[in-house]
């Protein structure tokens, strides 16, 4: 199942997208408070934006804009809104993202063609190992996509290897959707409990949140570790709430395919200019067909490389390589995007926490880890539990938390030559 436009020539795809861009601009000019204001402020006549290259005449939209003017992005009346999603914002407070009925259909179509891209069909059963609720978009998208495709779906949710294996052995799914580092936990549990993982009937895993490949598409450390134990196909899928769209690998596993019906892609340098073909830059997207909260030139913060040669699978669309890095201090943690200020927000909630340091580092498989070193006057298990509960409630993820001596934290906060206290120590190499 390949949409016709994905097999069309590059010129046809571009012409199609330019037609869609025209529709989007007039839609925004009518319904979006934020973009109407932006067009006016920058004297932009939308009739002069005709080609994809003309997009550079329009300022980019940042995650800060989304946070600061959140409601101004909503283009439909409240009674039309069906699903409410939140994502962590750059400034601490969560950003709300909303979808109407049409957007949910679009989301289902997006995941339907993404699953089909990875070779899943209606004979397959998928075990979903990500969160369905808690205002996340991804789990819902997978469910809707599976339904449209006609494949079975088992919504186990994230974590708990024992529960996952019980379900795999009982329902015999053929695919799983999971954060790749969690697959290592499944392997470990299977080894400890005499489960023959290679007889489980799982053919492949759709992996979110963490990259599987190096820049040249060879397996990274994490994926190699999984594959050396478990003989399954690993397909990378890359998506975000703001994009409302996934880039999923086909059987060739040479990057996530762009679906031109759903999104316009630009790869920009630090001056917001498109990079030369094949160079790395920040992924910047314009959504197509979104009604409730369409975004124009939204900068994702992810550093990627695009590949434009025709793919062996028959698709002629651009492919995105693995996420190579992130702008500033974006943290990809357990499948969620997180920024330090959001954690500071949580910590600052506690009056009895004297000081803290947020350490970000990469573990031995190259994924992000967070260690919060906090100092309190009277450490106790109940306080630790309270902090942990608050993290789960506010951010839905739980970093490592340790109590440290006040003097030690202060030394970290005020290294020599530093005038401002340091809160975040980023030890990552990327
Ligand atoms: Zn392909």
């Amino acid at each position: 199942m390949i949409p016709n436009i994905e097999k069309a020539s590059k010129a046809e795809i571009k012409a199609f997208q330019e037609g869609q861009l025209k529709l989007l601009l007039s839609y925004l000019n009518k319904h979006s408070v934020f973009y109407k204001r932006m067009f006016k402020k920058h004297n932009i006549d939308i009739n002069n934006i005709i080609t994809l290259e003309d997009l550079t005449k329009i300022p980019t939209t940042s995650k800060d804009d989304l946070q600061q003017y959140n409601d101004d992005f909503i283009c439909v009346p409240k009674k039309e809104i069906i699903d409410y999603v939140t994502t962590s914002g750059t400034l601490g407070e969560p950003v709300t993202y909303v979808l109407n009925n049409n957007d949910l259909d679009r989301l289902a179509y997006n995941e339907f063609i993404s699953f089909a891209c990875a070779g899943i069909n209606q004979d397959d059963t998928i075990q979903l190992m990500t969160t369905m609720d808690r205002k996340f978009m991804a789990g819902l998208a997978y469910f809707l996509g599976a339904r449209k495709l006609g494949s079975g779906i088992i919504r186990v949710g994230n974590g708990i290897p024992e529960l996952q294996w019980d379900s795999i052995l009982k329902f015999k799914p053929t695919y799983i959707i999971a954060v790749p580092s969690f697959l290592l936990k499944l392997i470990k549990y299977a080894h400890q409990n005499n489960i023959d993982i290679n007889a489980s009937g799982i053919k492949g895993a759709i992996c979110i949140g963490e990259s599987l490949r190096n820049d040249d598409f060879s397996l990274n450390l994490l994926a190699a570790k999984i594959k050396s134990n478990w003989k399954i196909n690993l397909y990378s899928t890359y998506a975000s709430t703001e994009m409302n769209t996934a880039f999923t690998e086909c059987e060739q596993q040479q990057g996530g395919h762009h679906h031109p019906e759903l999104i316009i892609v630009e790869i920009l340098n630090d001056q917001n200019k498109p990079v030369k073909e094949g160079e790395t830059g920040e992924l910047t997207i314009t959504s197509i067909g979104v009604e409730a909260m369409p975004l124009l030139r939204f900068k994702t913060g992810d550093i990627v490389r695009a590949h434009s040669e025709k793919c062996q699978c028959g698709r002629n669309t651009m492919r995105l390589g693995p996420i190579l890095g992130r702008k500033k201090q974006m943290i990809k943690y357990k499948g969620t995007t997180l920024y330090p200020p959001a954690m500071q927000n949580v910590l600052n909630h506690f009056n009895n926490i004297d000081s803290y340091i947020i350490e970000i580092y990469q573990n031995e498989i190259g994924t992000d880890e967070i260690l919060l070193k906090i100092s309190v006057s009277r450490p106790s298990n109940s306080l630790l539990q309270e902090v942990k509960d608050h993290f789960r409630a506010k951010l839905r993820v739980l970093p490592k938390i340790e109590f440290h001596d006040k003097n030690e934290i202060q030394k970290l906060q005020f290294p020599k030559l530093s005038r401002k206290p340091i809160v975040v120590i980023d030890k990552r190499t990327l």
Side-chain angles (χ1 to χ4, degrees):
M1 213 301 293
I2 304 179
N4 285 333
I5 189 68
E6 303 196 4
K7 294 182 282 188
S9 70
K10 296 269 179 216
E12 285 166 326
I13 292 173
K14 185 171 184 282
F16 169 80
Q17 291 214 302
E18 287 169 350
Q20 294 295 314
L21 176 62
K22 194 178 156 69
L23 296 175
L24 171 71
L25 290 171
S26 78
Y27 182 85
L28 292 175
N29 207 30
K30 209 182 268 174
H31 302 288
S32 169
V33 173
F34 179 85
Y35 288 112
K36 255 191 280 188
R37 191 167 57 222
M38 178 209 261
F39 295 154
K40 200 168 177 201
K41 186 177 167 199
H42 295 272
N43 286 320
I44 292 164
D45 178 355
I46 57 165
N47 296 311
N48 291 334
I49 314 293
I50 295 156
T51 66
L52 295 186
E53 291 80 5
D54 290 338
L55 276 171
T56 54
K57 296 174 186 166
I58 305 171
T60 55
T61 302
S62 68
K63 195 139 183 167
D64 283 354
D65 293 327
L66 263 189
Q67 177 136 46
Q68 233 177 315
Y69 308 104
N70 209 171
D71 290 349
D72 292 350
F73 282 89
I74 301 175
C75 295
V76 296
K78 188 170 192 305
K79 65 172 184 190
E80 251 195 54
I81 296 171
I82 292 181
D83 195 50
Y84 289 81
V85 176
T86 58
T87 64
S88 58
T90 44
L91 309 172
E93 285 299 307
V95 174
T96 303
Y97 194 92
V98 296
L99 297 93
N100 72 357
N101 194 46
N102 185 67
D103 296 339
L104 287 167
D105 285 344
R106 182 193 168 284
L107 191 66
Y109 178 72
N110 157 68
E111 214 49 56
F112 160 62
I113 57 176
S114 292
F115 282 154
C117 201
I120 304 179
N121 63 47
Q122 58 185 18
D123 297 330
D124 286 305
T125 303
I126 305 165
Q127 183 155 322
L128 182 61
M129 303 186 180
T130 66
T131 309
M132 263 295 280
D133 54 357
R134 300 194 179 213
K135 295 178 279 171
F136 273 119
M137 182 186 277
L140 182 68
Y142 296 133
F143 178 79
L144 294 173
R147 183 176 182 220
K148 192 169 175 64
L149 189 61
S151 55
I153 184 155
I154 312 158
R155 295 174 291 114
V156 179
N158 66 339
I160 324 178
E162 183 178 356
L163 193 61
Q164 302 291 353
W165 276 114
D166 283 350
S167 173
I168 291 171
L169 298 173
K170 183 172 169 61
F171 300 112
K172 303 274 177 221
T174 45
Y175 282 86
I176 54 186
I177 299 173
V179 176
S181 51
F182 182 66
L183 297 183
L184 289 179
K185 295 201 173 115
L186 283 185
I187 292 168
K188 192 176 165 198
Y189 181 89
H191 284 165
Q192 286 167 347
N193 292 275
N194 294 319
I195 296 169
D196 182 356
I197 47 173
N198 289 306
S200 62
I202 303 287
K203 293 189 283 189
I206 308 292
C207 295
I208 62 155
E210 296 158 351
S211 293
L212 295 172
R213 295 176 213 291
N214 300 312
D215 196 17
D216 63 358
F217 295 125
S218 60
L219 295 178
N220 65 16
L221 199 53
L222 170 61
K225 233 177 194 175
I226 297 166
K227 293 271 281 185
S228 70
N229 286 284
W230 205 353
K231 310 293 176 221
I232 54 174
N233 280 313
L234 300 178
Y235 301 92
S236 210
T237 185
Y238 161 71
S240 69
T241 300
E242 296 88 356
M243 295 199 297
N244 235 290
T245 303
F247 293 79
T248 307
E249 289 182 333
C250 68
E251 72 276 6
Q252 300 294 323
Q253 303 179 344
Q254 297 287 304
H257 271 287
H258 170 218
H259 300 301
E261 295 163 278
L262 302 174
I263 202 165
I264 294 169
V265 171
E266 297 173 89
I267 315 267
L268 302 180
N269 64 19
D270 287 339
Q271 288 74 47
N272 285 339
K273 294 278 181 299
V275 299
K276 290 201 186 94
E277 197 168 323
E279 283 182 3
T280 62
E282 183 173 2
L283 178 69
T284 303
I285 61 97
T286 295
S287 41
I288 294 176
V290 171
E291 291 183 356
M293 249 177 107
L295 297 176
L296 179 61
R297 306 199 82 209
F298 175 75
K299 298 185 84 180
T300 63
D302 287 329
I303 304 299
V304 295
R305 189 192 305 280
H307 300 262
S308 56
E309 321 82 67
K310 189 178 172 73
C311 185
Q312 299 269 318
C313 70
R315 289 175 184 81
N316 209 6
T317 58
M318 181 274 282
R319 287 163 287 119
L320 280 188
I323 307 308
L324 298 171
R326 49 231 105 183
K327 281 275 176 181
K328 296 174 194 159
Q329 287 173 327
M330 187 195 271
I331 306 164
K332 292 274 185 181
Y333 189 63
K334 297 195 196 292
T336 297
T337 304
L338 201 62
Y339 294 85
M343 290 186 276
Q344 286 171 251
N345 238 15
V346 175
L347 291 169
N348 292 341
H349 169 83
F350 292 91
N351 293 328
N352 36 6
I353 294 179
D354 297 320
S355 54
Y356 57 82
I357 286 278
I358 300 170
E359 267 189 20
I360 313 162
Y361 61 98
Q362 282 177 322
N363 59 24
E364 68 280 3
I365 50 172
T367 59
D368 290 348
E369 291 286 356
I370 306 162
L371 172 60
L372 303 178
K373 296 181 171 175
I374 61 179
S375 101
V376 296
S377 46
R378 257 174 292 162
S380 72
N381 280 337
S382 62
L383 175 60
L384 187 62
Q385 195 55 46
E386 213 183 308
V387 177
K388 283 180 175 179
D389 288 346
H390 199 56
F391 264 94
R392 283 202 195 92
K394 288 289 175 197
L395 301 181
R396 298 170 296 189
V397 290
L398 180 62
K400 285 190 188 113
I401 303 171
E402 286 176 3
F403 287 122
H404 281 256
D405 181 72
K406 195 173 181 172
N407 293 330
E408 194 193 330
I409 302 277
Q410 280 206 326
K411 253 188 235 167
L412 290 169
Q413 278 188 329
F414 294 94
K416 277 174 200 154
L417 303 172
S418 169
R419 286 187 307 177
K420 277 199 309 187
I422 287 173
V423 177
V424 180
I425 300 178
D426 194 340
K427 295 179 168 178
R428 295 173 296 184
T429 47
L430 273 175

